[in-house]
């Protein structure tokens, strides 16, 4: 075998990201856009010792689970890895992925998996979208999404995962850029003003936020842009985010407000949240309510517990927990998020919540060792990299009756749960919630309780 050879492969599985996996002459190949059950013809693009990467050229025999993607640029765009797979098959794949990781990485033989919580409609569910700006080969200013594993922009203002209003907003921004000769940012040269547009929508409130990420401190035609955007029903906040660094990190730290209060509000359940441009807020509010409801159910609070919510963001889970707990302590590294968290607690009349700014792995040991703070229940919702080991060590020292782990990456979940399992805890319940239809990602909630030392 060599590069550019054509091979015929039956797809047997998908990778974590949703890439098709099949074998040819004993070698494993990863083939993007292939679906489990497909028989495909593919061109070898790269070869390693035991595996390779190939490009899908033709579906010879389609899988029973293959469907026609709604989006015409689904294959080129890096946002929807598995839109060609039926939604039922997507849910089965995600459940299997979590279970396999818990067995393979976590070394658990029996997994108390419960049925996945899917969506009624797996499209138009995202309340947040970030659109980069650039130019096509003809010099036309465009926006859209990056192609998979590249920073080449696939032109598209009408994403089937986002809110329909995004298209109108983007068209107005493009018209303003052309009218005032605003150049898009060029990553290679570091020149150009317009980098990204961040759009957030409150599903329950109907409020809309637009934040332009710029390589500078001001924009030409500011008043004209604001006037064109503020007539859109629901437009609540328009701002600039200053990012003059030569980096692929999207957002800078400085916000300049152009219109409105600088934030929008939304509700999850009966809790109202204030959301700023830099705030972390789950992108799928309907499923978020189900995710947090599952975490609350697993915590099984009776009203007297002290609960720690680690990696708490703007206090979304904290607010859910506070309605049932004696006291909730939230920890988050981003100061702006903690400001929002405190405002959200105040807004919802929650006086039994306290928030700390800092790294969970630093704040938790300090509060435990210096201030002797206890915890009956610890809830963790870490980033994709999972919990820091010092944080896990302190959880074990604090010895809460329950740990509720909310995870966006089942491989790091399995690693961390393995550590807790080796240090006095057992997994009682596991349930996945599909927050990201058409992608390979899934959220998982796991309940761990202290092992009974006197049980057989």
């Amino acid at each position: 075998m060599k590069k550019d050879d054509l091979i015929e492969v039956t797809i047997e599985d998908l990778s974590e990201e949703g890439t098709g996996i099949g074998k040819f002459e004993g070698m494993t190949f990863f083939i993007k856009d292939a679906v489990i059950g497909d028989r495909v013809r593919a061109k070898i693009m790269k070869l390693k010792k035991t595996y390779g990467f190939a490009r899908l050229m033709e579906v010879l025999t389609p899988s029973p689970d293959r469907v026609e993607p709604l989006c015409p640029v689904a294959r080129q765009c890096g946002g929807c890895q598995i839109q060609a797979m039926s939604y039922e098959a997507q849910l089965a794949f995600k459940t299997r992925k979590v279970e396999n990781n818990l067995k393979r990485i976590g070394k658990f033989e029996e997994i108390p998996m419960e049925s996945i919580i899917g969506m009624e409609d797996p499209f138009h569910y995202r309340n947040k979208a970030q659109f980069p700006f650039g130019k096509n080969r003809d010099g036309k200013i465009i926006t859209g999404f990056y192609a998979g594993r590249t920073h080449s922009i696939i032109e598209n203002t009408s994403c089937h995962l986002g809110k329909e209003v995004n298209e109108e907003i983007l068209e107005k921004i493009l018209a303003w850029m052309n009218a005032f000769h605003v150049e898009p940012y060029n990553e290679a040269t570091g020149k150009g003003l317009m980098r990204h547009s961040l759009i957030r929508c409150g599903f329950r409130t109907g409020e809309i936020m637009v934040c332009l990420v710029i390589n500078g401190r001001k924009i030409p035609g500011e008043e004209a842009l604001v006037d064109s955007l503020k007539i859109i029903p629901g437009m609540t906040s328009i701002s600039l985010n200053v990012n003059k660094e030569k980096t692929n990190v999207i957002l800078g730290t400085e916000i300049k407000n152009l219109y409105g209060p600088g934030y929008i509000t939304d509700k999850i359940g009966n809790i109202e949240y204030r959301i700023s441009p830099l705030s972390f807020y789950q992108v799928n509010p309907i499923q978020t309510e189900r995710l947090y409801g599952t975490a609350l159910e697993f915590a099984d609070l009776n009203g007297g517990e002290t609960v720690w919510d680690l990696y708490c963001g703007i206090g979304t889970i904290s607010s859910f927990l506070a309605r049932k707990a004696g006291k909730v302590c939230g920890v988050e590294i981003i100061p702006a998020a903690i400001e929002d968290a405190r405002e959200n607690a105040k807004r919802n009349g929650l006086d039994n919540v306290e928030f700390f700014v800092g790294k969970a792995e630093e704040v938790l040991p300090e509060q435990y060792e210096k201030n002797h703070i206890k915890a009956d229940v610890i809830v963790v919702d870490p980033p994709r990299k999972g919990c820091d080991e010092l944080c896990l060590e302190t959880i074990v020292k604090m010895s809460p009756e329950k740990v509720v782990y909310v995870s966006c990456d089942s491989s790091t979940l399995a690693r961390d749960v393995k550590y807790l399992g080796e240090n006095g805890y057992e997994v009682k319940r596991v349930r996945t919630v599909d927050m990201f239809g058409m992608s390979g990602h899934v959220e998982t909630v796991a309940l761990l309780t202290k092992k009974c030392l006197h049980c057989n």
Side-chain angles (χ1 to χ4, degrees):
M1 283 182 286
K2 62 184 183 301
K3 187 176 182 294
D4 293 331
D5 278 356
L6 290 175
I7 57 175
E8 292 188 9
V9 180
T10 297
I11 304 302
E12 300 169 357
D13 201 356
L14 296 181
S15 71
E16 290 279 319
E17 297 79 24
T19 299
I21 301 173
K23 289 192 175 180
F24 181 80
E25 295 184 356
M27 179 173 280
T28 298
F29 280 92
F30 295 89
I31 305 171
K32 182 178 174 292
D33 305 309
V35 173
I36 296 173
D38 279 345
R39 179 73 178 171
V40 303
R41 180 175 289 118
K43 180 191 282 190
I44 297 174
M45 306 305 294
K46 188 185 293 186
L47 283 170
K48 300 288 185 179
K49 282 187 177 180
T50 58
Y51 65 94
F53 298 90
R55 177 183 296 162
L56 176 65
M57 304 302 291
E58 182 184 359
V59 178
L60 301 173
T61 307
S63 163
D65 296 320
R66 174 170 281 278
V67 296
E68 186 65 31
L70 282 181
C71 179
V73 294
R75 275 195 67 177
Q76 300 99 299
C77 177
C80 291
Q81 302 97 333
I82 54 175
Q83 201 179 132
M85 180 187 289
S86 73
Y87 188 57
E88 293 74 16
Q90 290 182 31
L91 296 180
F93 157 67
K94 293 177 183 188
T95 301
R96 188 168 61 250
K97 176 174 76 168
V98 173
E99 191 167 12
N100 287 344
N101 277 336
L102 287 169
K103 288 180 177 177
R104 181 175 57 85
I105 301 170
K107 305 302 181 186
F108 294 97
E109 294 181 5
E110 297 293 327
I111 310 297
M113 290 289 297
E114 300 176 20
S115 59
I116 188 170
I117 302 174
M119 300 183 227
E120 284 78 19
D121 180 8
F123 292 99
H124 298 296
Y125 60 81
R126 287 187 64 94
N127 59 15
K128 174 188 173 185
Q130 295 171 145
F131 296 88
F133 289 83
K135 286 187 175 181
N136 65 12
R137 292 179 180 176
D138 299 325
K140 174 189 171 187
I141 298 174
I142 62 169
T143 188
F145 295 97
Y146 292 129
R149 300 183 183 277
T150 78
H151 272 209
S152 299
I153 298 173
I154 303 300
E155 185 176 3
N156 183 18
T157 57
S158 178
C159 174
H160 287 275
L161 299 191
K163 294 286 283 182
E164 291 89 336
V165 73
N166 290 351
E167 184 172 11
E168 182 182 359
I169 292 169
L170 292 170
E171 294 296 345
K172 287 181 180 293
I173 294 172
L174 289 169
W176 162 76
M177 291 179 69
N178 284 309
F180 288 89
H181 308 289
V182 178
E183 287 291 306
Y185 181 72
N186 184 309
E187 288 186 342
T189 65
K191 298 187 181 300
L193 181 63
M194 187 69 173
R195 298 179 75 131
H196 282 78
S197 178
L198 165 66
I199 304 173
R200 287 184 130 148
C201 302
F203 270 44
R204 293 274 295 276
T205 62
E207 295 179 6
I208 300 170
M209 169 193 295
V210 175
C211 180
L212 306 184
V213 185
I214 58 171
N215 179 37
R217 301 188 61 81
K218 60 183 180 178
I219 58 173
E222 176 186 304
E223 188 176 339
L225 175 64
V226 170
D227 286 345
S228 71
L229 290 174
K230 72 182 184 182
I231 63 173
I232 296 173
M235 187 60 64
T236 303
S237 172
I238 304 170
S239 60
L240 302 177
N241 176 266
V242 178
N243 184 356
K244 298 173 71 175
E245 301 296 319
K246 199 168 183 182
T247 174
N248 59 6
V249 175
I250 293 174
L251 293 169
T253 57
E254 183 183 351
I255 300 292
K256 299 183 73 176
N257 202 40
L258 302 183
Y259 171 80
Y263 59 84
I264 61 172
T265 60
D266 199 14
K267 284 188 171 184
I268 299 176
N270 59 358
I271 310 254
E272 184 175 277
Y273 299 97
R274 187 179 82 173
I275 308 154
S276 303
L278 297 177
S279 299
F280 172 78
Y281 186 69
Q282 292 280 11
V283 300
N284 185 334
I286 295 172
Q287 290 296 93
T288 295
E289 185 170 349
R290 293 166 177 163
L291 178 74
Y292 292 170
T294 302
L296 187 60
E297 177 191 336
F298 282 16
D300 190 26
L301 303 173
N302 60 34
E305 298 91 345
T306 297
V307 182
W308 277 80
D309 178 16
L310 309 184
Y311 312 94
C312 70
I314 64 170
T316 43
I317 295 181
S318 299
S319 299
F320 260 62
L321 297 167
R323 293 289 176 93
K324 299 279 188 178
K327 181 174 183 179
V328 176
C329 300
V331 183
E332 172 58 51
I333 192 172
I334 300 172
I338 288 296
E339 285 180 29
D340 284 340
R342 288 171 179 151
E343 173 61 30
N344 289 331
K346 184 178 176 182
R347 182 183 292 268
N348 291 284
L350 301 172
D351 58 6
N352 61 335
V353 185
E354 185 177 3
F355 292 102
F356 300 84
V357 178
K359 295 180 179 179
E361 59 268 24
E362 294 175 359
V363 172
L364 193 63
E366 179 183 43
Q367 292 299 316
Y368 170 66
E369 291 166 9
K370 290 185 179 178
N371 299 328
H372 310 292
I373 298 290
K374 66 162 190 163
D376 299 302
V377 179
I378 292 180
V379 177
V380 295
D381 185 7
R384 199 164 293 282
K385 66 179 182 179
C387 291
D388 183 275
E389 189 167 339
L390 182 58
C391 179
L392 291 172
E393 287 176 8
T394 309
I395 290 173
V396 171
K397 286 179 186 175
M398 293 178 79
S399 191
E401 287 298 319
K402 299 169 194 164
V403 177
V404 179
Y405 195 129
V406 182
S407 169
C408 60
D409 188 313
S410 58
S411 59
T412 54
L413 166 71
R415 179 202 68 200
D416 293 349
V417 165
K418 180 175 183 286
Y419 178 93
L420 293 170
E422 291 169 346
N423 287 276
Y425 286 85
E426 58 184 336
V427 179
K428 285 293 189 181
R429 299 180 69 180
V430 180
R431 193 163 199 188
T432 49
V433 180
D434 186 31
M435 301 275 286
F436 315 105
M438 308 300 134
S439 82
H441 304 297
V442 67
E443 292 272 336
T444 306
V445 186
L447 168 65
L448 295 95
T449 61
K450 289 171 70 174
K451 291 177 182 174
C452 176
L453 299 178
H454 307 292
C455 300
N456 293 326

